[in-house]
Amino acid sequence: MLINNMNKTQKIHKKVNLGVLFVIPALIYMLVFVGYPIISNFILSFQDVTVQTINQPDKPFIGFDNYIKFLGDPVLVRAIINTFLFTVACIVFQFVLGFALALFFNQKFTLAKPIRGLLIIPWMIPITISSLIFKFMFTSNVGIINEMLKAIGLAPIDWLLQPRIAMIALIVANIWIGIPFNMILLSAGLTTIPKTLYESASIDGANGAQSFFKITLPMLKPTIGSVLILGIIYTFKVFDLVLVMTNGGPVNSTQVLSTYSYKLSFSLFKYSEGATVANILFVILFFISLIYIKLFFISDTMDKR
Amino acid sequence: MKKILILTLIAAFMISMLFLGTSCKEEVAEEEVAEEEEVAEEEEEVAEEEVAEEKTDIKIWYYWETLMHQESLDTVISSFNASQDGITVSADYIPFADFKKQLSIGVAAEELPDLVIIDNPDHAAYAAMGIFADLTAELSSWPDLEQYYDGPLGSLTIEGKIYGIPFGSNCLALYYNEDMLESAGSEVPTNWDELKDVAEKTTTNGVVGFGISSLPNEEGTFGFLPWLWSTGATSFEINSEGGIKALTLFKDLIESGGMSKEVINWTQGDVMNQFISGNLAMMVNGPWQVPTMRSEAPDLNWNVALIPKDEVYASDLGGENFAIINNENVSKSLEFLKYAVSVEQVTEYIDKFGYIASRKDVAETQYTDDPIMQKFIEQMQYALARGPHAKWPEISNAISNAFNEVITGVADPETAAANAQTTIDSILE
């Protein structure tokens, strides 16, 4: 047995596949805690599990019926549109504002670093708390935002009570929460650009805009890519913010995929339908992640060659 | 070179661990067989011990967060534990928001308590899951059964089978601020036109005439149903003359300004806080708010009346039921349950809950010198149970969706009613 062992070791060692061994613990962990729930969730979505059937040993298998049922479901369509709308609007504003702040605090002026540090606070506050505060601020009768509108002579707005406007309120809240994340990662990226590049550019007569587009942007490309993809994934699976601020309402108008899945499973006890919606969310995120891997990992290895 | 040596050693170690793993499994398998034999022996021992001691543990799950409620339950439990030797009862608190989730997870994981104290509209759904014991046979010879009101008993009777015993009940009624109604020169409304009129008249700067929790969930449906039922329609007939009429009432109240759109985000607690802060002239709420209102706003002049009616007076039945989980301890659980719902015990704790007893013999002796609570007892005669239906959560969702559409102006009452009816019909099929 021992000799057998040694032989194997040598063989493995010869092929320099030692790394495989080190991957095994992580792989086992992933299979048990990530792989199993995903597969189990897919199986659940092909069954008909509700309050009546959850306690039965044999759950009725209904194939793609759950998915077909959702094809014409207006709430699901609304949830998908909302999820994309929310993600795009949040990412655009978070990124632009975060980038602007990162550039601004990259200048050398008094208190630049402490203020930049303080700006991370929105990111550090638990989202439930931020959401509750925004909910109070957007309240129609006594909310500070309507009070301010009244003070400057404008009509108050029913922020969280009107279907279209409620979505805007959610987006505003999430932009505020997400700016620091973009700012900090981009700031870190900015510090990796050698100052000498800017110096030589200015000697060559480049103006601010030119050095931004010719030096800053190209040098930041990997950082920007990571920030955008991570931001999209975080934003796409938004849950707590919506649950606390509107709970998907009024009348499902701010329902996103995650909250709709939660509602189906834990308010209406339609576990299989909840799993189906969760899987739709999973598949979309899966493709976004594939794009991320393709864009960055593959181009990285190509560069190295 | 040294590095390679170390790596080789680590690799060898890991591989041998793998082999160890497989060989261990075999040993484990052998051990398991041995253990099973031991367990079998132990079980025999346990069985023998049970004959000797007969001590059974009974676990209860409940969701009351009020300290007074928890203490009252503990009192019942400890007096029962002291009264006999065979059974030890204990109770676990689970927050209301997690209660149904925990119960569903418990079903899937087969880790359930022996007794639950559950919100009455959910009783049917869980009975349909098959987790509650059918007590029809055990209770048929129980003389106290006929003392129970039809409403509470109806919430736990499904197709003629009884799946529990009611704990206590409450219902909704109309609260009004006496000073505000007086200064508006209004009488207490008794029908819908008067309600609309008074709501509009009492709406002034900073005060809204009327408020009712209209959340898009069970809490909101609870508030809406009395209006639907008052027209003579049932919970399952929202697309009827009555259903549209009830939705139109909400639409009119919103349009006249007599009710704020904000109600779709208000819990019953929020509504009560608005009322005692002087922001509401009238509200619909339950008797469990009375102790808080008396202590928080002792100077506020308020009173309670029946909910204004359309065709008939109506209110809905809130409250909890006891249910026994269908496991090997059913008869022991029932023993405790019969003790906990006995006249002596119920009389002891029910007033502390601000509840109305579900049994007539106790309810008739309750709150005799409390006119507010007397009003709730009067309203109670008109209280109906929600459902009972195994898919009540889905039906409730369709109803709450309809009045939310109307309140926010997304749909007119006719469209909202028709949409909700389509959903309800597909559930009832």
Side-chain angles (χ1 to χ4, degrees), chain B residues 67-248:
Chain B
L67 192 63
M68 199 187 263
H69 293 184
Q70 299 187 346
E71 285 171 356
S72 308
L73 181 66
D74 282 344
T75 313
V76 182
I77 290 174
S78 41
S79 76
F80 175 75
N81 287 344
S83 74
Q84 43 74 49
D85 289 331
I87 305 166
T88 314
V89 181
S90 60
D92 279 348
Y93 163 72
I94 294 179
F96 182 71
D98 288 339
F99 197 82
K100 292 191 228 174
K101 219 182 304 167
Q102 282 296 332
L103 212 47
S104 303
I105 295 167
V107 173
E110 294 176 6
E111 278 178 16
L112 290 169
D114 302 293
L115 268 165
V116 289
I117 302 171
I118 191 171
D119 200 13
N120 72 43
D122 294 325
H123 203 118
Y126 285 96
M129 265 190 198
I131 63 170
F132 292 161
D134 175 4
L135 304 177
T136 321
E138 283 88 346
L139 294 181
S140 60
S141 57
W142 189 49
D144 296 18
L145 193 65
E146 61 186 31
Q147 287 294 339
Y148 280 85
Y149 287 113
D150 289 343
L153 209 53
S155 73
L156 47 76
T157 308
I158 297 118
E159 290 166 2
K161 290 177 184 162
I162 301 171
Y163 288 94
I165 298 177
F167 165 80
S169 310
N170 53 55
C171 63
L172 294 174
L174 182 79
Y175 287 74
Y176 59 93
N177 185 315
E178 291 180 311
D179 295 340
M180 287 181 186
L181 259 64
E182 198 179 318
S183 62
S186 305
E187 293 290 309
V188 181
T190 55
N191 61 39
W192 291 10
D193 287 332
E194 289 174 21
L195 175 74
K196 284 192 264 190
D197 181 55
V198 178
E200 204 176 338
K201 278 185 184 155
T202 48
T203 300
T204 55
N205 197 21
V207 178
V208 181
F210 179 70
I212 180 170
S213 168
S214 303
L215 287 168
N217 62 23
E218 189 59 43
E219 202 169 335
T221 306
F222 187 63
F224 177 75
L225 286 174
W227 312 97
L228 179 65
W229 289 336
S230 184
T231 65
T234 71
S235 332
F236 309 115
E237 312 169 323
I238 192 158
N239 193 18
S240 57
E241 202 185 319
I244 292 167
K245 201 172 171 188
L247 288 169
T248 310

Side-chain angles (χ1 to χ4, degrees), chain B residues 16 31 48-49 61 92 101 112 115 137 142 154 158 167-168 170 220 223 234 336 340 342 351 356 421 427:
Chain B
S16 52
E31 271 173 23
E48 280 166 19
E49 273 171 21
W61 283 2
D92 279 348
K101 219 182 304 167
L112 290 169
L115 268 165
W142 189 49
I158 297 118
F167 165 80
N170 53 55
T234 71
F336 165 74
S342 63
D351 285 17
I356 296 155
Q421 194 66 51
I427 297 163

Side-chain angles (χ1 to χ4, degrees), chain A residues 165-210:
Chain A
I165 297 173
M167 201 65 212
I168 296 174
L170 287 178
I171 291 171
V172 169
N174 198 53
I175 290 172
W176 181 82
I177 293 168
I179 287 174
F181 171 75
N182 286 265
M183 184 190 74
I184 288 302
L185 287 187
L186 291 168
S187 288
L190 283 174
T191 56
T192 62
I193 305 176
K195 290 280 172 286
T196 48
L197 284 178
Y198 293 104
E199 281 162 15
S200 58
S202 69
I203 290 167
D204 289 343
N207 61 24
Q210 278 171 326

Side-chain angles (χ1 to χ4, degrees), chain A residues 5 51 139-140 251 262 271, chain B residues 4 15 101 104 129 262 405:
Chain A
N5 237 355
V51 274
T139 304
S140 294
V251 207
Y262 181 83
Y271 305 107
Chain B
I4 293 173
I15 292 172
K101 219 182 304 167
S104 303
M129 265 190 198
E262 205 86 31
E405 281 178 348

Side-chain angles (χ1 to χ4, degrees), chain B residues 17-37:
Chain B
M17 287 300 280
L18 282 177
F19 279 101
L20 268 177
T22 49
S23 55
C24 266
K25 259 183 201 159
E26 284 159 24
E27 281 171 33
V28 167
E30 281 167 26
E31 271 173 23
E32 268 172 5
V33 175
E35 263 174 22
E36 267 169 20
E37 283 168 10

Side-chain angles (χ1 to χ4, degrees), chain A residues 1 5 9 13 18 21 51-52 55 139-141 158 161 163 250-252 262-263 266-271, chain B residues 4 7 11 14-15 100-101 104 107 126 129 131 261-262 264-265 390 393-394 397 401 404-405 408 410:
Chain A
M1 177 117 157
N5 237 355
T9 320
H13 186 218
L18 200 61
L21 287 171
V51 274
Q52 276 103 340
N55 212 15
T139 304
S140 294
N141 293 342
D158 285 337
L161 306 176
V251 207
N252 290 324
Y262 181 83
K263 182 181 181 181
F266 294 112
S267 300
L268 305 180
F269 304 128
K270 300 200 266 192
Y271 305 107
Chain B
I4 293 173
L7 285 176
M14 289 189 69
I15 292 172
K100 292 191 228 174
K101 219 182 304 167
S104 303
V107 173
Y126 285 96
M129 265 190 198
I131 63 170
K261 272 186 186 177
E262 205 86 31
I264 62 166
N265 287 330
E394 285 179 59
N397 182 55
N401 210 44
N404 268 264
E405 281 178 348
T408 53
V410 174

